[in-house]
Amino acid sequence: MERSSEKDLLIDPSDLVLSSSTTLKTYKLYAARWLILAVLVLLNVSSGIVWISFASVADEVKAYYSLNGDFLVNLLSMIFFIVSLPVGFVGAWTLDTWGLRIGLLIGAWLNGIGAVVRYFSSFGHTYAVVMVGQIVGAAGQPFILFAPTKLAALWFGEKERATANMIASISNPVGIAVASLASPRFESVEQLLWAYAIPAAAGAVLTTSVFSVWGARPPIAPSVSAVEEKTTFWKGLKQFWKFKSYVLLLIGWGFGVGLFSALQTFMEQLVCTRGYSDVKQCMC
């Protein structure tokens, strides 16, 4: 009986080999992750520029397109908020379902095409054309804005994710600052449209070039969490509303972003009536 009990306690060495082989995995960081991050930064900067291009030169835009009143000028910026409501869900779902590659290609080309269409409005000073360009660019913005977390999760190591996410996310406000500072310094609206179309078009071409070589995710995952099964978009969307802290954060953050966006849109009209120039008001 003692011999049989001892035998039962013995472990087959093959079981140990099998157990260790199933837990040992190889992870790898690719240098291409920084290239993809740089392209996403360019897209976010360009998207921010396209959004707020006309806010700091509202009077010049109004005269250029022969508009009556400020509403149609303000609508060029506000259309981004209107379009982002329905398209935002589509962008998030696309990135979650079809992956980073498809989502960024859609966003990059919508942003690039929109910027180029805006430039075509300079040939006849046609407001309808520049509005179409703004709508197309606005449709591409959610695909770009929602991509930083996806890129950080799929391509960067656990210790790099916060940094990568911060760099990609902060680039959109950087684009807003660039447009606010640069727009009053152009000699004409036509020159502004041409200058801002260049980075947008370059972003679309670079995104296509990069993802023609690399897929939505690296061949070998950078970390354990990168290969973990994630909650689907619709299931996650339903779960979020069950957390009070998330709802409070959503309301607070939404209020802050709305206030910031309103100030950016109307700043020129608020400040210039007090005698400040476009160049001085853009410093606000």
Side-chain angles (χ1 to χ4, degrees):
M1 290 294 294
E2 293 181 358
R3 290 184 178 181
S4 60
S5 61
E6 291 177 359
K7 184 178 180 180
D8 292 337
L9 293 175
L10 294 177
I11 301 175
D12 190 346
S14 63
D15 293 337
L16 290 175
V17 174
L18 179 60
S19 175
S20 62
S21 63
T22 56
T23 57
L24 291 177
K25 292 184 179 296
T26 301
Y27 303 103
K28 182 178 180 180
L29 293 174
Y30 292 84
R33 69 191 187 280
W34 298 109
L35 176 60
I36 300 175
L37 177 62
V39 172
L40 181 56
V41 167
L42 175 60
L43 292 177
N44 261 311
V45 170
S46 175
S47 181
I49 289 174
V50 171
W51 166 51
I52 209 67
S53 302
F54 307 116
S56 57
V57 287
D59 291 336
E60 288 80 354
V61 172
K62 183 167 60 176
Y64 187 80
Y65 291 109
S66 302
L67 303 176
N68 295 321
D70 296 327
F71 174 75
L72 292 178
V73 178
N74 296 332
L75 189 59
L76 292 172
S77 298
M78 293 189 297
I79 196 66
F80 270 72
F81 312 133
I82 298 172
V83 173
S84 65
L85 287 175
V87 178
F89 290 98
V90 177
W93 177 84
T94 301
L95 287 166
D96 181 70
T97 305
W98 295 100
L100 182 68
R101 179 176 178 271
I102 298 298
L104 273 185
L105 284 173
I106 293 174
W109 279 101
L110 286 175
N111 184 66
I113 292 172
V116 172
V117 169
R118 296 189 331 159
Y119 173 70
F120 287 149
S121 70
S122 63
F123 293 109
H125 296 202
T126 309
Y127 177 80
V129 176
V130 74
M131 176 55 74
V132 170
Q134 287 292 99
I135 292 174
V136 175
Q141 189 177 66
F143 295 90
I144 298 172
L145 286 181
F146 299 160
T149 53
K150 193 76 170 179
L151 173 62
L154 294 179
W155 281 86
F156 286 83
E158 294 179 354
K159 295 182 179 180
E160 300 175 330
R161 289 182 181 176
T163 301
N165 193 16
M166 179 272 295
I167 293 173
S169 299
I170 200 69
S171 55
N172 187 262
V174 169
I176 296 172
V178 168
S180 299
L181 292 170
S183 291
R185 291 171 169 78
F186 287 107
E187 296 179 1
S188 65
V189 174
E190 179 180 355
Q191 189 181 71
L192 177 152
L193 294 170
W194 169 248
Y196 290 161
I198 295 175
V205 173
L206 287 174
T207 302
T208 305
S209 301
V210 168
F211 282 114
S212 64
V213 178
W214 297 95
R217 59 177 67 225
I220 301 176
S223 64
V224 178
S225 57
V227 295
E228 290 179 347
E229 186 176 351
K230 303 296 190 298
T231 304
T232 61
F233 172 74
W234 294 112
K235 185 177 180 180
L237 190 63
K238 294 177 181 178
Q239 291 177 346
F240 284 148
W241 299 105
K242 298 179 181 179
F243 298 97
K244 293 182 179 180
S245 57
Y246 170 78
V247 176
L248 292 175
L249 179 63
L250 176 65
I251 295 173
W253 179 257
F255 179 81
V257 171
L259 180 61
F260 167 78
S261 301
L263 288 175
Q264 284 294 125
T265 301
F266 301 119
M267 183 63 71
E268 194 256 8
Q269 298 157 55
L270 293 173
V271 175
C272 288
T273 56
R274 300 294 181 180
Y276 293 93
S277 65
D278 287 340
V279 175
K280 288 183 179 180
Q281 66 85 21
C282 73
M283 301 300 294
C284 296

